[in-house]
Amino acid sequence: MTIIIISLLLLASLLPHLTFTAHVNVGIVNGTEAKPHSRPYMVSLQVKSQHICGGFLISDEFVLTAAHCRKKTEELTVVVGAHDLRKKNDCINVKTYYRHLDFSEEPYRNDIMLLRLEKKVEKNKNVKWISIPKTEGDIAADSVCRVAGWGSLVTDGTASPVLMETNVKIMDNEKCENSWGSTFSPAQMMCVYGHGGSCDGDSGGPLVCGDTAVGVTSFGDTYDCNSPKYPEVYTKISAFLPWIKDIIRNN
């Protein structure tokens, strides 16, 4: 009996350590590796074969991402159907860049961009596009949604070679505005909170609620990924539906 009690006490002393180590470097930030190709709409935006941002297919030839993901006139390539970026993946050039004409970084506004691919992609088990909202409107606060990306696992860390994902919840606009002040625009942005979240390199990726992409990863605390003080901010796709539809219809 004494041996059993001692064994139980030793196990109890180890539990806090086991619980902690199970959450180190396991996600976007505190996330998990996505099931390979379970998010076939995800794309990696790259410069000279290096991942810089996420993005997502909304049709067979258009990718939606963040405007700030393209610096000046640099040429981006789009990797589709990928899970592990270390493997050989299908890479497509961008034919035309449609950065929102009113995009600004100080403060962030209209942080959205469409990329028209040089060739149409074929739908298969690894490559599909995702729906976007059909009408403008806000997602109910505390709704559970998901984010994914190949960005850093921790603040100032290295990018993940495999696609990671985590659950987040939609934050009430008033709470977000209390944190970000005038930087936050409820008309064209939304915030999320949760145990995990996006980090460097996840910009441009989708915020997915159900089977619909409702937001584009835009910005957060520069010095602390998944900051408890400054929630992550996403461009609200529904606020830009006329702009998106106009570009796709005329091009």
Side-chain angles (χ1 to χ4, degrees):
M1 184 59 126
T2 303
I3 294 173
I4 294 174
I5 293 173
I6 292 172
S7 298
L8 288 172
L9 287 171
L10 284 170
L11 178 60
S13 69
L14 285 170
L15 281 176
H17 175 70
L18 292 173
T19 303
F20 174 76
T21 54
H23 289 92
V24 174
N25 288 356
V26 291
I28 278 189
V29 171
N30 296 328
T32 55
E33 181 177 346
K35 180 182 177 181
H37 310 296
S38 60
R39 299 181 177 278
Y41 48 82
M42 289 292 301
V43 305
S44 165
L45 302 187
Q46 301 191 354
V47 174
K48 297 178 180 178
S49 301
Q50 295 297 313
H51 172 83
I52 61 161
C53 270
F56 50 104
L57 289 163
I58 60 169
S59 78
D60 60 355
E61 62 178 338
F62 279 96
V63 166
L64 195 57
T65 186
H68 77 263
C69 284
R70 188 190 188 205
K71 306 302 181 187
K72 297 182 179 179
T73 59
E74 67 185 3
E75 294 300 314
L76 303 178
T77 52
V78 177
V79 176
V80 301
H83 173 69
D84 188 335
L85 296 180
R86 293 169 296 191
K87 296 181 178 180
K88 184 175 176 58
N89 295 292
D90 191 12
C91 189
I92 304 174
N93 292 327
V94 176
K95 181 178 182 179
T96 317
Y97 300 85
Y98 299 97
R99 176 191 269 182
H100 198 288
L101 293 177
D102 294 323
F103 166 64
S104 67
E105 290 187 88
E106 294 181 4
Y108 267 90
R109 292 290 184 270
N110 306 296
D111 189 16
I112 192 166
M113 177 169 61
L114 275 168
L115 308 175
R116 186 181 183 187
L117 302 178
E118 199 171 68
K119 65 177 183 178
K120 293 184 178 182
V121 297
E122 292 186 11
K123 186 180 286 187
N124 56 53
K125 64 179 182 179
N126 295 341
V127 180
K128 294 176 184 175
W129 33 100
I130 189 171
S131 299
I132 60 174
K134 291 179 170 57
T135 57
E136 185 173 354
D138 290 334
I139 307 299
D142 299 319
S143 296
V144 178
C145 304
R146 291 182 77 77
V147 292
W150 289 275
S152 301
L153 300 173
V154 293
T155 305
D156 296 326
T158 57
S160 171
V162 297
L163 185 66
M164 309 298 289
E165 64 183 4
T166 191
N167 283 344
V168 293
K169 289 185 177 181
I170 302 296
M171 178 176 282
D172 178 80
N173 281 340
E174 188 175 338
K175 288 183 179 178
C176 188
E177 202 161 12
N178 288 340
S179 296
W180 282 105
S182 60
T183 300
F184 176 71
S185 168
Q188 58 175 246
M189 300 174 186
M190 61 178 72
C191 289
V192 303
Y193 69 97
H195 177 62
S198 300
C199 199
D200 299 332
D202 291 321
S203 290
L207 171 64
V208 178
C209 299
D211 58 0
T212 303
V214 301
V216 179
T217 310
S218 183
F219 66 90
D221 189 336
T222 305
Y223 305 103
D224 186 11
C225 292
N226 199 35
S227 164
K229 185 177 180 181
Y230 294 106
E232 295 155 20
V233 183
Y234 294 75
T235 300
K236 185 166 65 176
I237 294 174
S238 70
F240 295 89
L241 289 177
W243 177 80
I244 294 170
K245 291 175 181 177
D246 184 60
I247 290 173
I248 293 177
R249 182 173 57 246
N250 296 316
N251 296 280

